[in-house]
Structures are given as structure tokens and as C-alpha cells.
Amino acid sequence: MAAKPTTQTTQARLSSIIKESRNTMRKDAGLNGELDRLPQMAWLLFLKAFDDLEEERELTEGDYRPALELEYRWRAWAGDSTLTGEPLLAFVNGKLLPRLRKLQGTGKAGDPRDTLRRVFQDTQNRMLSGFLFRELVDQLDKVEFTNRDDIHTMAHLYESMLREMRDAAGDSGEFYTPRPLVRFIVDRVDPKPGETVLDPAAGTGGFLVEAFAHMTEGDVTAEERGHAKAGIRGVEKKPMPFLLCQMNLLLHGIDQPDVVEQNSLGFSLAEMRRDGVDVVITNPPFGGEEEKSVQANFPPHLQTAETAWLFLQAVMARIERSKVGRAAVVVPNSTLFDRGVGGRIKAELMSKFNLHTVLRLPNGVFAPYTLIPSNVLFFERGKQQPHVWFYEQPMPEGRKQYTKTKPMRFEEFGECAEWWGGDTRNGRIATAHAWRVAADDIKADGYNLDLRNPDRGDDLVHRSPVELVDELVSAERELLGLLEELQREVKGFAQ
């Protein structure tokens, strides 16, 4: 088969294509808002990209066998301009999507048939007009994915659409990690080609994309790039983020992503240890609750409904058997100060791993969706060292919090990156933002990690509710004492 001619699609042209596509979708009665429109465009773009990359593999790999019969490949049905209206909807709804859901692969990681089946297991066409559907397909067919420059440009545009998706999803309680924070975390954990990297709450794949970019930057060989691709793993529970994650990875050059749609917590800790990895980087959901059957996967004395605590245990299990095991986990403030089941889980953490750094994030990192103060726990396989370092990331000068229009920037982490001390973390010193606490003191205090910067005055953002209430009660008692004294003086004066 001869290669079809390709032309580089400029960013301006791609932007125009996406704009027209979204305008077309706005006219369809079956789509309501970005939470409907973006997934609709995503799964169509996925099929287009998949077919283009398959065509490339057919040309470069003599024994490559396409995952789909010709009838179901994008080039066949999308390229048939006579297929429109009700016949087009009948084909897509009655033949294409059912066929994708029934594909059977080998079960091995990265098999394209298994990938397609998982991606489209819960995918539905929500458009009601077959004529508008044809307009949308014709627009998206203009994008070329066989040109690497086009893929790079499309990836950037896709990320901008994901941000809009995240803005819309924020109203539903979904909080996505800002890209500058993701990049900083990945840089500190430093995954390398040949290591397995897992995000057990992958969302739309931000951590995995950044990890792959980190492992393949600079002068890397084709073999190292292949190892980096093979080492990327993800798990996502919800269908919509799962589809977006697959698309995101595909656009960033991971053409056979090892990402599955399931609940990461639906396995015993023993199973998680057996299916271990070298690196875990994640921002798991917090504030949610898991059902009893999921809680039963964890030891009785460490069972809880709170997802953040279960994910922390799952992360520990995943890296427990790797000689280079290391992790970074975003957690809410409640994880730091909890002394109940949380205290027991932190005791487990500091008895089996080296909790070396607690990064205290400034207020509003996840604004405008939530103002819950957050932190990042960095730990690694090995004996707990005598001290735990804390670093309080400051707000930019003159700012009180981040907002949607003025979000966090990567450059703000420059001082922390310099202080970090490289892979060995040698040479760390106490600064206005960094201090260390003896591990024995943390243990004696019930594994409370909600510790304030000794160089700062009062900091309400990172104070625990218990501490705040205790101080409020003390203040009220002091005020009551002053009022009682004033009352006595007034009575004495009246006599």
C-alpha cells in the first residue's frame, strides 16, 4: 500500500479545525456542555489517530496485522462522504461501536485490540443528527497523525481542551493536578528508562505523559525510548477520564499504552505487592468513600472508607519489593494530622519506608475547585532516616492564593529544586522555607506530620482542626475570664 501524502497541519489550522468541530457539536441536541462535547470529539480523534498510526505501522512493519477489519477502520467509513444522516448513525451505533466493544486481543499489555475494547467499552455516541455527525467527522479527518510535527501540535491543543474539561469537571468534584506541580514532582522522583512507572489514579494521564517526557528528554537511544514506553502504566476507575487518558498518551507518542479501566483498590495488598513497580506518582482522590468489599482488601486495623488512606497503603504495597522503589503522593492536610487509623498507616509507612520529604503546598493550588490545603509525601524503599525534611512552598510575592486566571507556574519551584540536593538529597540545610524534624519526635507525637514552619508566625492554612479548636477554646476562656473580672469591677463600683 502506498503512503498517502501528508502535509504539516499548522497550529492555526488545527485550532481552526477544533473550533469548527466544537461549533458543529454545539448545534446537536444530544450534547450538553463540554462534559459531553469533549469526550465525543476525543473518541473520534482516537479512532482517527489510531488508524493513521496503524497505517504507518503497516508500512514500517512488514508483519503488522491491523486490529480492525477494513470496514471498521476510520479511512473506510469516515472517508465515505456518501455515508451520512441516519445510515451513518445506524452504522456507528449499530455496527462500529458494538464491534469495538467485542474485540479480543492476546491479553498482553499494549495489545491494540484489548486497548480498543477497553476504551470503547462504555463509549456512547451522543450525537442525534447524522448530518452534524458527518460534518464533525469531515472536520476531524483533516487532522494528520502520521506527521510527528502534527502529533506534537495536536498534543498541545489537546492539553488545552483537557484544561477546559477539567474546568467543567471541577463542578462535579473532580480535581486535576496542575501541570507545573506534576512536572516538579516527576523531576524530583526522576523516573528512568527501564523502570516501571505507575499512576494508580491516572485521570487523564498527566503524570504518565510527564513521566514519559522526562524519561525521553535529551539524547536517548531508540532502545531507551522503547523501554520508557513499555514502563508506563496507569489505572483509572472512571470511563470518561480513561478514554481521555488513552487519547492523551497516544498523542504523546505512547502508541500502545498499558492503562486499564478498573479500581486500583479492588485488589488485596498481597496482589499489589506481586504486581509491583519501581515508581508511583499520583494524586489520588480524597474525600471519597469506598464500599465495604473494597475496604476488606486491607488489614483489619488499617481499614477505612477514606480513599486517600487506602491509596496510600496501595502505593506502599506497589513499591515495597522494588530495590529502587520510590513514590510521590499528593495528600490533603487531614492525612498529616490524623492520629487514628491514619496514625497507624503513617506508622506503617515510616517503619517500612524512608519518608524523606513533606512538601507543604500553598493555598489555592487546586483553585477554583477547592481550597483544601494539600501536600506531597515523598518516600522510598529502605530504612527510615533519623530526620524528615519539610519544605513549605511559598506563594509568589504579593499573592494570597492561586486562582483560575493566575495559576501556579513551574518557575516558582526553582528555589525548592535548588534546595532539594539532586538524587542523593545531600547538602540540605534549614532555610526560611525548609526545616527538619526528628523521626523519633514524629513517632512520639502519634505520627503527626502537620508541623508548622518554626520560622513562620501563625499559619492558619496548615493548622489542624484540633489545634485550631483548642486555641479557640483557650481564647474564649481567656476572654470569659476578662469579662468576669470586668463584671466584678462593675459590681464593686456600683456598690
Side-chain angles (χ1 to χ4, degrees):
M1 180 186 297
K4 65 181 180 182
T6 62
T7 56
Q8 182 172 346
T9 311
T10 65
Q11 183 161 344
R13 183 165 179 264
L14 275 171
S15 297
S16 175
I17 291 171
I18 298 303
K19 180 180 179 181
E20 288 302 315
S21 298
R22 296 168 83 175
N23 287 339
T24 297
M25 289 187 289
R26 287 188 179 97
K27 301 173 188 176
D28 193 276
L31 303 176
N32 298 304
E34 294 300 330
L35 285 174
D36 279 346
R37 290 191 287 266
L38 204 53
Q40 179 78 21
M41 184 162 54
W43 70 259
L44 286 169
L45 276 172
F46 185 95
L47 286 178
K48 166 64 173 167
F50 187 88
D51 190 44
D52 281 2
L53 294 176
E54 278 218 314
E55 184 172 357
E56 184 178 31
R57 293 185 68 179
E58 284 182 282
L59 295 171
T60 57
E61 303 173 26
D63 59 347
Y64 182 74
R65 184 168 66 90
L68 288 169
E69 302 93 327
L70 180 59
E71 176 187 6
Y72 300 105
R73 300 180 73 173
W74 175 276
R75 73 190 70 174
W77 65 268
D80 181 3
S81 60
T82 64
L83 184 61
T84 188
E86 286 302 319
L88 176 58
L89 290 183
F91 169 77
V92 171
N93 297 334
K95 297 185 69 175
L96 176 63
L97 292 177
R99 176 65 185 130
L100 293 171
R101 297 185 194 113
K102 293 179 181 178
L103 283 172
Q104 291 294 327
T106 60
K108 296 181 180 179
D111 187 302
R113 296 163 193 78
D114 292 326
T115 297
L116 283 169
R117 185 185 70 254
R118 289 194 298 263
V119 167
F120 288 93
Q121 196 63 49
D122 298 298
T123 298
Q124 300 289 336
N125 168 43
R126 298 183 181 277
M127 294 188 72
L128 301 180
S129 168
F131 298 103
L132 289 175
F133 192 98
R134 166 49 62 184
E135 286 185 28
L136 177 60
V137 167
D138 288 345
Q139 283 292 335
L140 298 181
D141 196 43
K142 298 174 184 176
V143 181
E144 289 292 346
F145 289 99
T146 49
N147 186 310
R148 291 296 172 186
D149 291 330
D150 288 2
I151 292 177
H152 183 71
T153 304
M154 185 63 213
H156 283 290
L157 281 174
Y158 187 70
E159 285 178 0
S160 71
M161 290 187 287
L162 283 182
R163 282 195 293 273
E164 294 185 38
M165 177 71 179
R166 292 162 190 164
D167 291 345
D171 296 333
S172 304
E174 300 286 344
F175 311 133
Y176 293 84
T177 319
R179 182 69 177 272
L181 178 58
V182 170
R183 181 181 169 191
F184 177 76
I185 290 173
V186 170
D187 283 355
R188 301 284 69 76
V189 176
D190 190 24
K192 296 176 174 61
E195 294 182 330
T196 49
V197 182
L198 171 70
D199 184 348
T204 55
F207 273 110
L208 299 179
V209 165
E210 194 62 43
F212 180 68
H214 179 88
M215 289 190 285
T216 55
E217 66 183 350
D219 187 18
V220 298
T221 65
E223 184 180 13
E224 288 173 326
R225 187 176 183 85
H227 286 319
K229 283 186 183 182
I232 295 295
R233 295 179 54 185
V235 182
E236 173 51 42
K237 182 179 179 179
K238 297 184 178 181
M240 188 185 303
F242 173 71
L243 185 153
L244 296 172
C245 178
Q246 292 278 359
M247 182 69 187
N248 202 10
L249 294 176
L250 189 69
L251 285 174
H252 283 85
I254 307 172
D255 47 15
Q256 297 184 52
D258 183 6
V259 180
V260 295
E261 183 186 350
Q262 60 188 199
N263 187 351
S264 287
L265 305 176
F267 305 90
S268 69
L269 291 182
E271 290 175 292
M272 295 182 198
R273 291 187 190 99
R274 286 194 295 270
D275 190 25
V277 297
D278 299 310
V279 176
V280 176
I281 39 180
T282 189
N283 177 13
F286 46 81
E289 293 189 357
E290 290 289 346
E291 58 191 53
K292 291 289 185 181
S293 62
V294 172
Q295 296 177 45
N297 289 319
F298 298 82
H301 68 295
L302 300 179
Q303 289 181 6
T304 172
E306 167 59 56
T307 53
W309 287 121
L310 298 179
F311 266 101
L312 185 55
Q313 294 181 72
V315 171
M316 291 158 56
R318 290 285 191 176
I319 66 170
E320 189 171 334
R321 294 184 178 179
S322 169
K323 293 181 179 179
V324 294
R326 56 201 187 277
V329 185
V330 181
V331 297
N333 256 23
S334 58
T335 300
L336 300 193
F337 61 72
D338 191 292
R339 285 181 170 88
V341 65
R344 294 192 291 275
I345 294 171
K346 284 179 286 186
E348 192 86 357
L349 170 64
M350 294 182 67
S351 67
K352 294 182 177 180
F353 301 89
N354 175 32
L355 174 63
H356 57 81
T357 310
V358 177
L359 174 63
R360 311 219 62 178
L361 298 172
N363 194 29
V365 170
F366 296 96
Y369 317 122
T370 179
L371 296 180
I372 296 174
S374 302
N375 313 265
V376 186
L377 302 183
F378 292 87
F379 55 94
E380 62 192 5
R381 184 179 182 270
K383 183 180 179 182
Q384 176 64 52
Q385 295 302 297
H387 294 87
V388 177
W389 279 97
F390 290 75
Y391 191 97
E392 184 178 66
Q393 178 65 24
M395 288 290 299
E397 189 173 351
R399 298 277 303 279
K400 291 185 177 180
Q401 68 177 41
Y402 295 108
T403 63
K404 182 177 178 180
T405 55
K406 292 183 178 180
M408 172 181 281
R409 296 180 302 111
F410 178 72
E411 292 74 20
E412 294 168 22
F413 288 105
E415 185 177 327
C416 182
E418 186 176 347
W419 166 86
W420 195 270
D423 292 341
T424 59
R425 301 186 298 276
N426 289 332
R428 288 183 171 184
I429 59 173
T431 69
H433 304 299
W435 69 102
R436 69 179 190 174
V437 179
D440 286 343
D441 291 344
I442 293 173
K443 179 179 179 180
D445 193 26
Y447 292 94
N448 174 36
L449 297 172
D450 191 31
L451 304 175
R452 283 182 286 166
N453 185 345
D455 284 345
R456 283 192 61 176
D458 210 10
D459 178 14
L460 294 180
V461 171
H462 288 107
R463 304 285 294 280
S464 72
V466 173
E467 191 176 0
L468 290 172
V469 171
D470 286 346
E471 291 193 9
L472 182 60
V473 170
S474 298
E476 290 292 339
R477 285 173 177 165
E478 183 178 352
L479 179 60
L480 180 61
L482 291 173
L483 288 172
E484 288 174 342
E485 183 178 347
L486 178 61
Q487 184 183 49
R488 288 192 294 270
E489 291 179 357
V490 169
K491 285 182 178 180
F493 179 80
Q495 292 174 353

